[in-house]
């Protein structure tokens, strides 16, 4: 929903040559860039944590009476079995692979989003600068077709409307 709202505000800002709307879009796109970059950094951090956690679980030694953790301490629960320990290690290893794939995909999407938002910020800034310089962003409209009809001496018709006197030309903005 948010991209659609941004699209309509951008369209309105361009159609009306509104510098304030274009500046607002520039600020929103800039914050989008920052959030996407922070999200990709969080994905990298999550990959590091998952890698560390998996290495800790890989170092666990499952024995018949209990398990030995990576720091060398021996642990035992009341309902411990070696099969449960091996099953838990395999589950964490499988989960690690899925989590790493998910975080890599998330990081790529976030980096692409950051690039897209940065490009939007750049374009909105260019549009704002163009409007601020007093130029029309949408360009000048085409000149109207003016014809003189017979039967009406010295009368000019512009798009079906009779004009008395000389037409006034104004700035298209």
């Amino acid at each position: 929903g948010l991209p659609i709202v941004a699209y309509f505000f951008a369209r309105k800002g361009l159609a009306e040559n509104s510098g304030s709307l274009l500046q607002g879009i520039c600020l929103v796109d800039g914050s989008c860039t920052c959030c996407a970059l922070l999200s990709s950094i969080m994905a990298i951090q999550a990959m590091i944590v998952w890698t560390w956690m998996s290495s800790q679980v890989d170092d666990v030694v499952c024995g018949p009476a209990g398990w030995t953790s990576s720091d060398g301490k021996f642990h035992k629960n009341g309902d411990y079995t070696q099969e449960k320990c091996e099953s838990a290690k395999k589950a964490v290893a499988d989960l690690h692979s899925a989590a790493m794939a998910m975080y890599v995909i998330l990081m790529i999407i976030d980096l692409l989003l950051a690039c897209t938002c940065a490009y939007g910020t750049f374009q909105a800034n260019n549009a704002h600068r163009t409007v601020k310089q007093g130029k029309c962003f949408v360009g000048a409209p085409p000149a109207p077709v003016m014809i003189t009809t017979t039967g009406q001496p010295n009368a000019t018709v512009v798009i079906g409307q009779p004009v008395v006197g000389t037409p006034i030309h104004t700035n298209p903005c």
Side-chain angles (χ1 to χ4, degrees):
L2 186 60
I4 293 171
V5 172
Y7 168 77
F8 284 115
F9 275 119
R11 188 168 186 260
K12 182 177 178 165
L14 294 175
E16 296 177 0
N17 291 311
S18 172
S20 60
L21 275 177
L22 293 171
Q23 187 176 22
I25 291 169
C26 185
L27 292 173
V28 169
D29 279 342
S31 64
C32 171
T33 303
C34 292
C35 290
L37 286 174
L38 288 175
S39 181
S40 64
I41 290 170
M42 288 177 63
I44 292 169
Q45 180 185 12
M47 287 188 281
I48 292 169
V49 168
W50 269 99
T51 302
W52 173 81
M53 185 180 71
S54 292
S55 70
Q56 293 294 314
V57 171
D58 287 342
D59 291 342
V60 169
V61 177
C62 298
W67 75 93
T68 306
S69 60
S70 60
D71 59 359
K73 293 182 182 176
F74 181 77
H75 305 276
K76 179 175 167 70
N77 281 349
D79 62 342
Y80 172 82
T81 64
Q82 190 170 0
E83 294 81 28
K84 285 183 183 179
C85 180
E86 295 294 338
S87 175
K89 281 181 66 172
K90 184 174 179 343
V92 170
D94 291 344
L95 187 59
H96 174 258
S97 299
M100 290 301 282
M102 181 184 71
Y103 283 121
V104 166
I105 291 169
L106 177 66
M107 182 186 67
I108 291 170
I109 290 172
D110 286 335
L111 289 175
L112 290 174
L113 178 63
C115 291
T116 303
C117 290
Y119 181 73
T121 302
F122 176 74
Q123 292 297 340
N125 188 33
N126 285 343
H128 178 257
R129 194 172 335 139
T130 301
V131 170
K132 193 174 179 181
Q133 291 172 353
K135 298 178 184 174
C136 290
F137 192 75
V138 293
V145 177
M146 298 178 9
I147 59 169
T148 303
T149 61
T150 58
Q152 296 177 341
N154 297 330
T156 304
V157 177
V158 179
I159 312 175
Q161 299 290 326
V163 177
V164 179
T166 307
I168 301 172
H169 297 286
T170 61
N171 185 355
C173 292

